[in-house]
Amino acid sequence: MRITVNGDVMDIEDASTVAGLLALLQIGRERVAVETNMEIVPKASYDSHTLLPGDTIEIVHFVGGGTGDVDETGQ
């Protein structure tokens, strides 16, 4: 079936789940958020949330960094 992931059209197996898509893309599920058709998919549902033909998926990676320190200007 055909879906769109972060703006790129791709073909995946029918009845794929969010967890299966992340595995296919070699993306760890620990530091990502996934949205299907503009709705957030809870991490607890990644294994059971089945994707459908035509779905639009957005995957956002969380990146850590910085010290969290704020200088006297508030930046």
Side-chain angles (χ1 to χ4, degrees):
M1 75 177 160
R2 186 162 288 189
I3 62 172
T4 303
V5 179
N6 290 357
D8 294 324
V9 175
M10 65 182 294
D11 291 311
I12 61 171
E13 292 185 28
D14 289 348
S16 291
T17 62
V18 169
L21 176 63
L22 292 175
L24 177 69
L25 297 173
Q26 298 180 350
I27 297 173
R29 56 198 291 172
E30 301 79 29
R31 300 188 71 169
V32 297
V34 179
E35 178 183 275
T36 60
N37 304 316
M38 301 177 66
E39 298 218 5
I40 298 283
V41 178
K43 283 190 188 292
S45 299
Y46 285 6
D47 291 316
S48 62
H49 187 97
T50 304
L51 301 173
L52 301 172
D55 276 354
T56 299
I57 316 301
E58 294 293 327
I59 302 172
V60 179
H61 298 263
F62 296 105
V63 179
T67 62
D69 294 336
V70 177
D71 67 21
E72 63 276 357
T73 65
Q75 298 180 6

